[in-house]
Amino acid sequence: MKRVFSGIQPTGNIHLGNYLGAVKNWVEKQAEKENFFCIVDLHSLTVPQNPEQLRFETRSLAAMLIAAGIDPDKSTLFIQSHVPAHAEGCWLLNCVTPLGWLQRMTQYKDKSAKQESVLTGLLDYPVLMAGDILLYDADEVPVGEDQKQHVELARDIAQRFNHVYEEEFFVIPQPIIPQAGARVMGLDEPTNKMSKSLAEKRGHAVRLLDEPKEILRSFKRAVTDSGREIQFSTDPDKAGVNNLLGIYKAVTGKSEAEVIADFSEARGYGDLKVGVAQVVIDMLNPIRERYQMLMQDPAELDRLLARGAQQAAAVAAPKVDQMKHTMGLVLPA
Ligand code: TYM
C-alpha cells in the first residue's frame, strides 16, 4: 500500500479550493492508501496569529476534515505540534538545506513582498513541510497546484540528505495534483487563485461552511466576461467562465464534454452560475451539518486527535532518532 502524507493549515477560512484541490482527493483515495493527514498549526505561526482564534480554528478544522469524510479509523489525523519530531526534523533538515533554495520559492517571494516585516519562519516554512513528508517516508503527497514547488523542494532536500549521509535514507515523495480542481480561482478575480487570506472578502471564495444562500450569492456575483459562450478556454479574458466550468467538473467528476453538454440549454452565464452553485451547495450541505454535530462534542474530537498523534509519533519519532544518529548526534542512553 502506498503511503500518503498531506497537510492543511488551520488558519483562515477553508474554502472550495482547499476542498477540491486537496481534501476531496484525500477522502476519495483513503481506502486504497495508508494515510497521514496533518493539521499544520506550526505552519500557521509563520504569519502573526491571534492565539485564541488559532486554538479554536485548529479544532474546528479537525471537525471539518472528519465532516468532509476523513475517517479517523482509516487515516491518521493529527495536529502537527502534538508530534515534536516535526519541529526537530525541521531543524535537522535546515542544516542540509542551502538558503538559496528557500529564497527562490515563489510563495515566499509573493508573501514576503506583501509584508513589511518578514518572520524567519516564513522563509523556513518549506523545510518544516519537507520534514512533515520525509519523516513518514511518504510515497505520495496529494496537494493543489500551489504546493507543487514545495513538494519538489522536499524531494531535493531528501536527495541531498541521502547523498550527504546515507543512500536511500529517505523515500523520494511524488506530488499528486488532481486533474480537476488543482487551481480554483477567486470568483471575484479569476486570474488569481482562491486564497484563505482573502476568503473574508465578499464574493472572493466559497467557504466550506457557507450557507446555501450565501453560496448562491457568491456565484451570482462571480466575474465573467461580456460574451455568452460556455466553453473551457485558456484565454485570460474567459478565465471566469473557465473557473466556473472547472469547479463544476471537479465537483461532479464529469468529463469536459459532459460538462458542456449539461449547459447546452443554458441561456447565458446566469444559468451557468446557478447550475454551478447548485452542485456546490449539494456537495457542502451534508459536510456543514456533520460539522455542526461534531463541534458539539469537543472532548471526542480531542480524543481522536490524541489517538492520531500517538499513531503519527510511532512512525515519526523513530525516524527522527535515525536522522540524529545518521548525522552524528549521540542519542540518550
Ligand atoms: P494550505 O493550508 O494553504 O492548503 C491546503 C491544500 O489546499 C490546496 N489549495 C488549493 N487547491 C486548489 N485551488 C486553490 N485555490 C487552493 N488553495 C489551496 C493546497 O495546495 C493544499 O494542498 N504548506 C501547506 C500545508 C502543508 C503540507 C505539508 C502539505 C504543510 N506540510 C506536507 C502537504 C505535505 C499549506 O499551507 O497548504
Side-chain angles (χ1 to χ4, degrees), residues 5-9 15 17-18 21-22 26 40 43 80 125 129 132-133 141-147 150 181-185 193-196:
F5 187 99
S6 201
I8 180 165
Q9 290 192 52
H15 54 64
N18 301 128
W26 303 354
V40 294
H43 276 100
Q80 189 183 33
Y125 162 134
M129 176 163 163
D132 295 343
I133 299 166
V141 186
V143 285
E145 183 70 42
D146 65 326
Q147 292 297 326
H150 290 157
R183 192 171 173 80
V184 176
M185 310 306 263
K193 71 165 184 171
M194 189 176 281
S195 117
K196 281 194 201 132

PDB file of all heavy atoms in Angstrom, residues 5-9 15 17-18 21-22 26 40 43 80 125 129 132-133 141-147 150 181-185 193-196, ligand 1:
ATOM      1  N   PHE A   5       1.051  11.328   2.632  1.00  0.00           N
ATOM      2  CA  PHE A   5       1.077  12.375   3.662  1.00  0.00           C
ATOM      3  C   PHE A   5       0.585  13.668   3.034  1.00  0.00           C
ATOM      4  O   PHE A   5       0.992  14.032   1.928  1.00  0.00           O
ATOM      5  CB  PHE A   5       2.505  12.604   4.193  1.00  0.00           C
ATOM      6  CG  PHE A   5       2.517  13.555   5.364  1.00  0.00           C
ATOM      7  CD1 PHE A   5       2.583  13.072   6.664  1.00  0.00           C
ATOM      8  CD2 PHE A   5       2.394  14.934   5.172  1.00  0.00           C
ATOM      9  CE1 PHE A   5       2.543  13.951   7.751  1.00  0.00           C
ATOM     10  CE2 PHE A   5       2.342  15.809   6.249  1.00  0.00           C
ATOM     11  CZ  PHE A   5       2.424  15.316   7.537  1.00  0.00           C
ATOM     12  N   SER A   6      -0.315  14.367   3.734  1.00  0.00           N
ATOM     13  CA  SER A   6      -0.620  15.724   3.306  1.00  0.00           C
ATOM     14  C   SER A   6      -1.021  16.569   4.513  1.00  0.00           C
ATOM     15  O   SER A   6      -1.304  16.034   5.593  1.00  0.00           O
ATOM     16  CB  SER A   6      -1.704  15.754   2.234  1.00  0.00           C
ATOM     17  OG  SER A   6      -1.621  16.986   1.532  1.00  0.00           O
ATOM     18  N   GLY A   7      -1.017  17.874   4.308  1.00  0.00           N
ATOM     19  CA  GLY A   7      -1.290  18.777   5.420  1.00  0.00           C
ATOM     20  C   GLY A   7      -2.133  19.956   4.984  1.00  0.00           C
ATOM     21  O   GLY A   7      -2.247  20.257   3.797  1.00  0.00           O
ATOM     22  N   ILE A   8      -2.712  20.605   5.982  1.00  0.00           N
ATOM     23  CA  ILE A   8      -3.524  21.800   5.722  1.00  0.00           C
ATOM     24  C   ILE A   8      -3.424  22.720   6.936  1.00  0.00           C
ATOM     25  O   ILE A   8      -3.414  22.258   8.074  1.00  0.00           O
ATOM     26  CB  ILE A   8      -4.987  21.393   5.401  1.00  0.00           C
ATOM     27  CG1 ILE A   8      -5.878  22.611   5.123  1.00  0.00           C
ATOM     28  CG2 ILE A   8      -5.601  20.527   6.487  1.00  0.00           C
ATOM     29  CD1 ILE A   8      -7.206  22.248   4.465  1.00  0.00           C
ATOM     30  N   GLN A   9      -3.311  24.013   6.665  1.00  0.00           N
ATOM     31  CA  GLN A   9      -3.175  24.981   7.764  1.00  0.00           C
ATOM     32  C   GLN A   9      -4.528  25.275   8.387  1.00  0.00           C
ATOM     33  O   GLN A   9      -5.518  25.431   7.662  1.00  0.00           O
ATOM     34  CB  GLN A   9      -2.600  26.292   7.249  1.00  0.00           C
ATOM     35  CG  GLN A   9      -1.152  26.183   6.833  1.00  0.00           C
ATOM     36  CD  GLN A   9      -0.537  27.550   6.598  1.00  0.00           C
ATOM     37  OE1 GLN A   9      -0.603  28.437   7.439  1.00  0.00           O
ATOM     38  NE2 GLN A   9       0.072  27.719   5.449  1.00  0.00           N
ATOM     39  N   HIS A  15     -11.688  26.791   2.136  1.00  0.00           N
ATOM     40  CA  HIS A  15     -12.572  27.154   1.023  1.00  0.00           C
ATOM     41  C   HIS A  15     -12.635  26.043  -0.016  1.00  0.00           C
ATOM     42  O   HIS A  15     -11.976  25.003   0.111  1.00  0.00           O
ATOM     43  CB  HIS A  15     -12.132  28.486   0.426  1.00  0.00           C
ATOM     44  CG  HIS A  15     -10.676  28.524   0.022  1.00  0.00           C
ATOM     45  ND1 HIS A  15     -10.163  27.718  -0.963  1.00  0.00           N
ATOM     46  CD2 HIS A  15      -9.638  29.248   0.493  1.00  0.00           C
ATOM     47  CE1 HIS A  15      -8.877  27.960  -1.107  1.00  0.00           C
ATOM     48  NE2 HIS A  15      -8.526  28.873  -0.229  1.00  0.00           N
ATOM     49  N   GLY A  17     -11.369  25.817  -2.880  1.00  0.00           N
ATOM     50  CA  GLY A  17     -10.071  25.451  -3.469  1.00  0.00           C
ATOM     51  C   GLY A  17      -9.375  24.397  -2.618  1.00  0.00           C
ATOM     52  O   GLY A  17      -8.870  23.395  -3.141  1.00  0.00           O
ATOM     53  N   ASN A  18      -9.341  24.593  -1.306  1.00  0.00           N
ATOM     54  CA  ASN A  18      -8.714  23.600  -0.421  1.00  0.00           C
ATOM     55  C   ASN A  18      -9.425  22.256  -0.548  1.00  0.00           C
ATOM     56  O   ASN A  18      -8.800  21.204  -0.542  1.00  0.00           O
ATOM     57  CB  ASN A  18      -8.787  24.034   1.056  1.00  0.00           C
ATOM     58  CG  ASN A  18      -8.113  25.364   1.316  1.00  0.00           C
ATOM     59  OD1 ASN A  18      -8.704  26.261   1.895  1.00  0.00           O
ATOM     60  ND2 ASN A  18      -6.871  25.509   0.892  1.00  0.00           N
ATOM     61  N   GLY A  21      -8.954  20.977  -4.367  1.00  0.00           N
ATOM     62  CA  GLY A  21      -7.542  20.756  -4.691  1.00  0.00           C
ATOM     63  C   GLY A  21      -6.916  19.664  -3.841  1.00  0.00           C
ATOM     64  O   GLY A  21      -5.981  18.989  -4.280  1.00  0.00           O
ATOM     65  N   ALA A  22      -7.417  19.482  -2.620  1.00  0.00           N
ATOM     66  CA  ALA A  22      -6.745  18.542  -1.720  1.00  0.00           C
ATOM     67  C   ALA A  22      -7.724  17.589  -1.027  1.00  0.00           C
ATOM     68  O   ALA A  22      -7.750  16.389  -1.309  1.00  0.00           O
ATOM     69  CB  ALA A  22      -5.928  19.323  -0.682  1.00  0.00           C
ATOM     70  N   TRP A  26      -8.092  13.370  -0.867  1.00  0.00           N
ATOM     71  CA  TRP A  26      -7.658  12.562   0.280  1.00  0.00           C
ATOM     72  C   TRP A  26      -8.762  11.559   0.618  1.00  0.00           C
ATOM     73  O   TRP A  26      -8.499  10.382   0.831  1.00  0.00           O
ATOM     74  CB  TRP A  26      -7.424  13.408   1.533  1.00  0.00           C
ATOM     75  CG  TRP A  26      -6.443  14.532   1.403  1.00  0.00           C
ATOM     76  CD1 TRP A  26      -5.647  14.825   0.329  1.00  0.00           C
ATOM     77  CD2 TRP A  26      -6.159  15.529   2.393  1.00  0.00           C
ATOM     78  NE1 TRP A  26      -4.891  15.936   0.603  1.00  0.00           N
ATOM     79  CE2 TRP A  26      -5.179  16.391   1.847  1.00  0.00           C
ATOM     80  CE3 TRP A  26      -6.641  15.775   3.681  1.00  0.00           C
ATOM     81  CZ2 TRP A  26      -4.673  17.475   2.565  1.00  0.00           C
ATOM     82  CZ3 TRP A  26      -6.134  16.855   4.399  1.00  0.00           C
ATOM     83  CH2 TRP A  26      -5.164  17.693   3.838  1.00  0.00           C
ATOM     84  N   VAL A  40      -1.552  21.504  10.189  1.00  0.00           N
ATOM     85  CA  VAL A  40      -0.199  22.041  10.375  1.00  0.00           C
ATOM     86  C   VAL A  40      -0.234  23.387  11.114  1.00  0.00           C
ATOM     87  O   VAL A  40      -0.028  24.449  10.530  1.00  0.00           O
ATOM     88  CB  VAL A  40       0.573  22.109   9.034  1.00  0.00           C
ATOM     89  CG1 VAL A  40       0.843  20.710   8.496  1.00  0.00           C
ATOM     90  CG2 VAL A  40      -0.165  22.919   7.975  1.00  0.00           C
ATOM     91  N   HIS A  43       2.900  25.606  10.918  1.00  0.00           N
ATOM     92  CA  HIS A  43       2.978  26.416   9.697  1.00  0.00           C
ATOM     93  C   HIS A  43       2.171  27.706   9.840  1.00  0.00           C
ATOM     94  O   HIS A  43       2.546  28.743   9.305  1.00  0.00           O
ATOM     95  CB  HIS A  43       2.478  25.625   8.477  1.00  0.00           C
ATOM     96  CG  HIS A  43       3.538  24.748   7.879  1.00  0.00           C
ATOM     97  ND1 HIS A  43       3.615  23.398   8.128  1.00  0.00           N
ATOM     98  CD2 HIS A  43       4.561  25.038   7.053  1.00  0.00           C
ATOM     99  CE1 HIS A  43       4.658  22.905   7.474  1.00  0.00           C
ATOM    100  NE2 HIS A  43       5.247  23.872   6.811  1.00  0.00           N
ATOM    101  N   GLN A  80       0.016  18.784  14.018  1.00  0.00           N
ATOM    102  CA  GLN A  80       1.476  18.781  13.836  1.00  0.00           C
ATOM    103  C   GLN A  80       2.238  19.013  15.147  1.00  0.00           C
ATOM    104  O   GLN A  80       3.187  18.296  15.457  1.00  0.00           O
ATOM    105  CB  GLN A  80       1.799  19.891  12.834  1.00  0.00           C
ATOM    106  CG  GLN A  80       3.210  19.967  12.322  1.00  0.00           C
ATOM    107  CD  GLN A  80       3.350  21.181  11.402  1.00  0.00           C
ATOM    108  OE1 GLN A  80       2.698  22.208  11.605  1.00  0.00           O
ATOM    109  NE2 GLN A  80       4.171  21.068  10.380  1.00  0.00           N
ATOM    110  N   TYR A 125       9.477  27.850   6.209  1.00  0.00           N
ATOM    111  CA  TYR A 125       8.239  27.078   6.081  1.00  0.00           C
ATOM    112  C   TYR A 125       8.391  25.817   5.203  1.00  0.00           C
ATOM    113  O   TYR A 125       7.985  24.720   5.591  1.00  0.00           O
ATOM    114  CB  TYR A 125       7.207  28.088   5.578  1.00  0.00           C
ATOM    115  CG  TYR A 125       5.929  27.688   4.950  1.00  0.00           C
ATOM    116  CD1 TYR A 125       4.749  28.322   5.340  1.00  0.00           C
ATOM    117  CD2 TYR A 125       5.834  26.756   3.927  1.00  0.00           C
ATOM    118  CE1 TYR A 125       3.538  28.026   4.746  1.00  0.00           C
ATOM    119  CE2 TYR A 125       4.630  26.450   3.339  1.00  0.00           C
ATOM    120  CZ  TYR A 125       3.496  27.079   3.740  1.00  0.00           C
ATOM    121  OH  TYR A 125       2.306  26.789   3.158  1.00  0.00           O
ATOM    122  N   MET A 129       7.796  21.772   6.096  1.00  0.00           N
ATOM    123  CA  MET A 129       6.918  20.945   5.261  1.00  0.00           C
ATOM    124  C   MET A 129       7.656  19.719   4.719  1.00  0.00           C
ATOM    125  O   MET A 129       7.107  18.615   4.684  1.00  0.00           O
ATOM    126  CB  MET A 129       6.362  21.815   4.122  1.00  0.00           C
ATOM    127  CG  MET A 129       5.511  21.064   3.143  1.00  0.00           C
ATOM    128  SD  MET A 129       4.525  22.216   2.149  1.00  0.00           S
ATOM    129  CE  MET A 129       4.064  21.123   0.805  1.00  0.00           C
ATOM    130  N   ASP A 132       7.776  17.241   7.450  1.00  0.00           N
ATOM    131  CA  ASP A 132       6.471  16.576   7.606  1.00  0.00           C
ATOM    132  C   ASP A 132       6.411  15.336   6.721  1.00  0.00           C
ATOM    133  O   ASP A 132       6.037  14.240   7.155  1.00  0.00           O
ATOM    134  CB  ASP A 132       5.321  17.498   7.138  1.00  0.00           C
ATOM    135  CG  ASP A 132       5.161  18.752   7.986  1.00  0.00           C
ATOM    136  OD1 ASP A 132       5.688  18.794   9.105  1.00  0.00           O
ATOM    137  OD2 ASP A 132       4.496  19.701   7.499  1.00  0.00           O
ATOM    138  N   ILE A 133       6.764  15.539   5.478  1.00  0.00           N
ATOM    139  CA  ILE A 133       6.602  14.488   4.469  1.00  0.00           C
ATOM    140  C   ILE A 133       7.651  13.388   4.664  1.00  0.00           C
ATOM    141  O   ILE A 133       7.341  12.195   4.682  1.00  0.00           O
ATOM    142  CB  ILE A 133       6.761  15.096   3.048  1.00  0.00           C
ATOM    143  CG1 ILE A 133       5.682  16.158   2.807  1.00  0.00           C
ATOM    144  CG2 ILE A 133       6.729  14.016   1.979  1.00  0.00           C
ATOM    145  CD1 ILE A 133       5.950  17.063   1.593  1.00  0.00           C
ATOM    146  N   VAL A 141       2.145  12.736  -2.138  1.00  0.00           N
ATOM    147  CA  VAL A 141       1.706  13.941  -1.432  1.00  0.00           C
ATOM    148  C   VAL A 141       0.621  14.624  -2.267  1.00  0.00           C
ATOM    149  O   VAL A 141       0.929  15.364  -3.207  1.00  0.00           O
ATOM    150  CB  VAL A 141       2.892  14.902  -1.188  1.00  0.00           C
ATOM    151  CG1 VAL A 141       2.454  16.083  -0.331  1.00  0.00           C
ATOM    152  CG2 VAL A 141       4.061  14.174  -0.533  1.00  0.00           C
ATOM    153  N   PRO A 142      -0.651  14.354  -1.967  1.00  0.00           N
ATOM    154  CA  PRO A 142      -1.729  14.973  -2.754  1.00  0.00           C
ATOM    155  C   PRO A 142      -1.969  16.425  -2.323  1.00  0.00           C
ATOM    156  O   PRO A 142      -2.358  16.690  -1.185  1.00  0.00           O
ATOM    157  CB  PRO A 142      -2.956  14.097  -2.438  1.00  0.00           C
ATOM    158  CG  PRO A 142      -2.629  13.387  -1.155  1.00  0.00           C
ATOM    159  CD  PRO A 142      -1.151  13.407  -0.961  1.00  0.00           C
ATOM    160  N   VAL A 143      -1.704  17.334  -3.243  1.00  0.00           N
ATOM    161  CA  VAL A 143      -1.830  18.777  -2.956  1.00  0.00           C
ATOM    162  C   VAL A 143      -2.383  19.502  -4.182  1.00  0.00           C
ATOM    163  O   VAL A 143      -2.377  18.959  -5.286  1.00  0.00           O
ATOM    164  CB  VAL A 143      -0.460  19.419  -2.614  1.00  0.00           C
ATOM    165  CG1 VAL A 143       0.012  19.056  -1.221  1.00  0.00           C
ATOM    166  CG2 VAL A 143       0.601  19.057  -3.655  1.00  0.00           C
ATOM    167  N   GLY A 144      -2.804  20.747  -3.975  1.00  0.00           N
ATOM    168  CA  GLY A 144      -3.170  21.618  -5.090  1.00  0.00           C
ATOM    169  C   GLY A 144      -1.908  22.119  -5.779  1.00  0.00           C
ATOM    170  O   GLY A 144      -0.794  21.988  -5.255  1.00  0.00           O
ATOM    171  N   GLU A 145      -2.112  22.693  -6.933  1.00  0.00           N
ATOM    172  CA  GLU A 145      -1.002  23.169  -7.783  1.00  0.00           C
ATOM    173  C   GLU A 145      -0.031  24.095  -7.016  1.00  0.00           C
ATOM    174  O   GLU A 145       1.181  24.029  -7.188  1.00  0.00           O
ATOM    175  CB  GLU A 145      -1.647  23.911  -8.964  1.00  0.00           C
ATOM    176  CG  GLU A 145      -0.726  24.443 -10.016  1.00  0.00           C
ATOM    177  CD  GLU A 145      -0.077  23.355 -10.847  1.00  0.00           C
ATOM    178  OE1 GLU A 145      -0.769  22.399 -11.218  1.00  0.00           O
ATOM    179  OE2 GLU A 145       1.128  23.490 -11.100  1.00  0.00           O
ATOM    180  N   ASP A 146      -0.582  24.950  -6.131  1.00  0.00           N
ATOM    181  CA  ASP A 146       0.276  25.955  -5.480  1.00  0.00           C
ATOM    182  C   ASP A 146       1.313  25.342  -4.539  1.00  0.00           C
ATOM    183  O   ASP A 146       2.261  26.020  -4.159  1.00  0.00           O
ATOM    184  CB  ASP A 146      -0.582  26.995  -4.731  1.00  0.00           C
ATOM    185  CG  ASP A 146      -1.346  26.387  -3.569  1.00  0.00           C
ATOM    186  OD1 ASP A 146      -1.767  25.213  -3.669  1.00  0.00           O
ATOM    187  OD2 ASP A 146      -1.517  27.073  -2.548  1.00  0.00           O
ATOM    188  N   GLN A 147       1.130  24.082  -4.141  1.00  0.00           N
ATOM    189  CA  GLN A 147       2.102  23.465  -3.228  1.00  0.00           C
ATOM    190  C   GLN A 147       3.095  22.563  -3.952  1.00  0.00           C
ATOM    191  O   GLN A 147       3.969  21.967  -3.320  1.00  0.00           O
ATOM    192  CB  GLN A 147       1.374  22.659  -2.137  1.00  0.00           C
ATOM    193  CG  GLN A 147       0.585  23.518  -1.160  1.00  0.00           C
ATOM    194  CD  GLN A 147       1.479  24.464  -0.362  1.00  0.00           C
ATOM    195  OE1 GLN A 147       2.621  24.134  -0.028  1.00  0.00           O
ATOM    196  NE2 GLN A 147       0.973  25.640  -0.054  1.00  0.00           N
ATOM    197  N   HIS A 150       6.770  23.285  -3.390  1.00  0.00           N
ATOM    198  CA  HIS A 150       7.264  22.901  -2.062  1.00  0.00           C
ATOM    199  C   HIS A 150       7.519  21.389  -1.977  1.00  0.00           C
ATOM    200  O   HIS A 150       8.456  20.960  -1.299  1.00  0.00           O
ATOM    201  CB  HIS A 150       6.267  23.327  -0.975  1.00  0.00           C
ATOM    202  CG  HIS A 150       6.197  24.810  -0.789  1.00  0.00           C
ATOM    203  ND1 HIS A 150       5.105  25.444  -0.238  1.00  0.00           N
ATOM    204  CD2 HIS A 150       7.080  25.798  -1.076  1.00  0.00           C
ATOM    205  CE1 HIS A 150       5.331  26.745  -0.200  1.00  0.00           C
ATOM    206  NE2 HIS A 150       6.515  26.982  -0.705  1.00  0.00           N
ATOM    207  N   GLY A 181      -9.676  20.834 -10.483  1.00  0.00           N
ATOM    208  CA  GLY A 181      -9.720  21.479  -9.164  1.00  0.00           C
ATOM    209  C   GLY A 181      -8.364  21.779  -8.570  1.00  0.00           C
ATOM    210  O   GLY A 181      -8.264  22.196  -7.422  1.00  0.00           O
ATOM    211  N   ALA A 182      -7.282  21.602  -9.351  1.00  0.00           N
ATOM    212  CA  ALA A 182      -5.935  21.809  -8.809  1.00  0.00           C
ATOM    213  C   ALA A 182      -5.651  23.282  -8.530  1.00  0.00           C
ATOM    214  O   ALA A 182      -4.769  23.608  -7.737  1.00  0.00           O
ATOM    215  CB  ALA A 182      -4.891  21.272  -9.777  1.00  0.00           C
ATOM    216  N   ARG A 183      -6.376  24.149  -9.230  1.00  0.00           N
ATOM    217  CA  ARG A 183      -6.144  25.581  -9.038  1.00  0.00           C
ATOM    218  C   ARG A 183      -7.473  26.307  -9.203  1.00  0.00           C
ATOM    219  O   ARG A 183      -7.811  26.780 -10.292  1.00  0.00           O
ATOM    220  CB  ARG A 183      -5.112  26.073 -10.050  1.00  0.00           C
ATOM    221  CG  ARG A 183      -4.590  27.449  -9.753  1.00  0.00           C
ATOM    222  CD  ARG A 183      -3.406  27.783 -10.660  1.00  0.00           C
ATOM    223  NE  ARG A 183      -2.999  29.164 -10.483  1.00  0.00           N
ATOM    224  CZ  ARG A 183      -2.243  29.596  -9.468  1.00  0.00           C
ATOM    225  NH1 ARG A 183      -1.791  28.761  -8.583  1.00  0.00           N
ATOM    226  NH2 ARG A 183      -1.937  30.872  -9.365  1.00  0.00           N
ATOM    227  N   VAL A 184      -8.235  26.363  -8.117  1.00  0.00           N
ATOM    228  CA  VAL A 184      -9.520  27.062  -8.142  1.00  0.00           C
ATOM    229  C   VAL A 184      -9.224  28.553  -8.002  1.00  0.00           C
ATOM    230  O   VAL A 184      -8.449  28.957  -7.129  1.00  0.00           O
ATOM    231  CB  VAL A 184     -10.431  26.566  -6.993  1.00  0.00           C
ATOM    232  CG1 VAL A 184     -11.724  27.365  -6.954  1.00  0.00           C
ATOM    233  CG2 VAL A 184     -10.728  25.076  -7.157  1.00  0.00           C
ATOM    234  N   MET A 185      -9.807  29.355  -8.876  1.00  0.00           N
ATOM    235  CA  MET A 185      -9.506  30.787  -8.875  1.00  0.00           C
ATOM    236  C   MET A 185     -10.539  31.566  -8.052  1.00  0.00           C
ATOM    237  O   MET A 185     -11.659  31.082  -7.826  1.00  0.00           O
ATOM    238  CB  MET A 185      -9.492  31.307 -10.318  1.00  0.00           C
ATOM    239  CG  MET A 185      -8.631  30.481 -11.249  1.00  0.00           C
ATOM    240  SD  MET A 185      -6.942  30.272 -10.657  1.00  0.00           S
ATOM    241  CE  MET A 185      -6.120  31.549 -11.549  1.00  0.00           C
ATOM    242  N   LYS A 193      -5.561  32.854  -7.718  1.00  0.00           N
ATOM    243  CA  LYS A 193      -6.128  31.674  -7.054  1.00  0.00           C
ATOM    244  C   LYS A 193      -6.991  32.073  -5.854  1.00  0.00           C
ATOM    245  O   LYS A 193      -6.735  33.110  -5.211  1.00  0.00           O
ATOM    246  CB  LYS A 193      -5.028  30.698  -6.628  1.00  0.00           C
ATOM    247  CG  LYS A 193      -4.202  31.177  -5.490  1.00  0.00           C
ATOM    248  CD  LYS A 193      -3.361  30.077  -4.852  1.00  0.00           C
ATOM    249  CE  LYS A 193      -2.672  30.704  -3.654  1.00  0.00           C
ATOM    250  NZ  LYS A 193      -1.972  29.896  -2.755  1.00  0.00           N
ATOM    251  N   MET A 194      -7.986  31.253  -5.587  1.00  0.00           N
ATOM    252  CA  MET A 194      -8.822  31.456  -4.396  1.00  0.00           C
ATOM    253  C   MET A 194      -7.915  31.284  -3.187  1.00  0.00           C
ATOM    254  O   MET A 194      -7.165  30.316  -3.107  1.00  0.00           O
ATOM    255  CB  MET A 194      -9.943  30.417  -4.386  1.00  0.00           C
ATOM    256  CG  MET A 194     -11.000  30.654  -3.342  1.00  0.00           C
ATOM    257  SD  MET A 194     -12.360  29.446  -3.446  1.00  0.00           S
ATOM    258  CE  MET A 194     -13.331  30.081  -4.806  1.00  0.00           C
ATOM    259  N   SER A 195      -7.965  32.245  -2.249  1.00  0.00           N
ATOM    260  CA  SER A 195      -6.988  32.178  -1.164  1.00  0.00           C
ATOM    261  C   SER A 195      -7.650  32.407   0.193  1.00  0.00           C
ATOM    262  O   SER A 195      -8.610  33.161   0.316  1.00  0.00           O
ATOM    263  CB  SER A 195      -5.879  33.200  -1.460  1.00  0.00           C
ATOM    264  OG  SER A 195      -5.826  34.193  -0.480  1.00  0.00           O
ATOM    265  N   LYS A 196      -7.095  31.673   1.195  1.00  0.00           N
ATOM    266  CA  LYS A 196      -7.665  31.760   2.546  1.00  0.00           C
ATOM    267  C   LYS A 196      -7.601  33.187   3.078  1.00  0.00           C
ATOM    268  O   LYS A 196      -8.508  33.643   3.752  1.00  0.00           O
ATOM    269  CB  LYS A 196      -6.860  30.868   3.500  1.00  0.00           C
ATOM    270  CG  LYS A 196      -7.202  29.412   3.418  1.00  0.00           C
ATOM    271  CD  LYS A 196      -6.599  28.693   4.623  1.00  0.00           C
ATOM    272  CE  LYS A 196      -6.462  27.219   4.370  1.00  0.00           C
ATOM    273  NZ  LYS A 196      -5.153  26.676   4.725  1.00  0.00           N
TER     274      LYS A 196
HETATM  275  P1  TYM B   1      -2.784  25.198   2.629  1.00  0.00           P
HETATM  276  O1  TYM B   1      -3.314  25.075   4.018  1.00  0.00           O
HETATM  277  O2  TYM B   1      -2.532  26.574   2.101  1.00  0.00           O
HETATM  278  O3  TYM B   1      -3.747  24.484   1.615  1.00  0.00           O
HETATM  279  C1  TYM B   1      -4.240  23.172   1.833  1.00  0.00           C
HETATM  280  C2  TYM B   1      -4.376  22.463   0.486  1.00  0.00           C
HETATM  281  O4  TYM B   1      -5.273  23.191  -0.362  1.00  0.00           O
HETATM  282  C3  TYM B   1      -4.656  23.418  -1.632  1.00  0.00           C
HETATM  283  N1  TYM B   1      -5.148  24.702  -2.182  1.00  0.00           N
HETATM  284  C4  TYM B   1      -5.769  24.828  -3.359  1.00  0.00           C
HETATM  285  N2  TYM B   1      -6.097  23.925  -4.302  1.00  0.00           N
HETATM  286  C5  TYM B   1      -6.764  24.380  -5.398  1.00  0.00           C
HETATM  287  N3  TYM B   1      -7.109  25.675  -5.579  1.00  0.00           N
HETATM  288  C6  TYM B   1      -6.799  26.621  -4.660  1.00  0.00           C
HETATM  289  N4  TYM B   1      -7.165  27.891  -4.850  1.00  0.00           N
HETATM  290  C7  TYM B   1      -6.093  26.209  -3.482  1.00  0.00           C
HETATM  291  N5  TYM B   1      -5.641  26.863  -2.377  1.00  0.00           N
HETATM  292  C8  TYM B   1      -5.074  25.930  -1.596  1.00  0.00           C
HETATM  293  C9  TYM B   1      -3.171  23.451  -1.334  1.00  0.00           C
HETATM  294  O5  TYM B   1      -2.406  23.187  -2.484  1.00  0.00           O
HETATM  295  C10 TYM B   1      -3.051  22.377  -0.279  1.00  0.00           C
HETATM  296  O6  TYM B   1      -2.926  21.101  -0.873  1.00  0.00           O
HETATM  297  N6  TYM B   1       2.076  24.165   3.252  1.00  0.00           N
HETATM  298  C11 TYM B   1       0.776  23.573   3.037  1.00  0.00           C
HETATM  299  C12 TYM B   1       0.390  22.599   4.119  1.00  0.00           C
HETATM  300  C13 TYM B   1       1.401  21.541   4.407  1.00  0.00           C
HETATM  301  C14 TYM B   1       1.595  20.353   3.666  1.00  0.00           C
HETATM  302  C15 TYM B   1       2.626  19.652   4.353  1.00  0.00           C
HETATM  303  C16 TYM B   1       1.014  19.823   2.528  1.00  0.00           C
HETATM  304  C17 TYM B   1       2.277  21.522   5.456  1.00  0.00           C
HETATM  305  N7  TYM B   1       3.004  20.370   5.430  1.00  0.00           N
HETATM  306  C18 TYM B   1       3.092  18.412   3.881  1.00  0.00           C
HETATM  307  C19 TYM B   1       1.485  18.596   2.055  1.00  0.00           C
HETATM  308  C20 TYM B   1       2.501  17.902   2.738  1.00  0.00           C
HETATM  309  C21 TYM B   1      -0.282  24.684   3.030  1.00  0.00           C
HETATM  310  O7  TYM B   1      -0.076  25.730   3.589  1.00  0.00           O
HETATM  311  O8  TYM B   1      -1.475  24.310   2.457  1.00  0.00           O
END
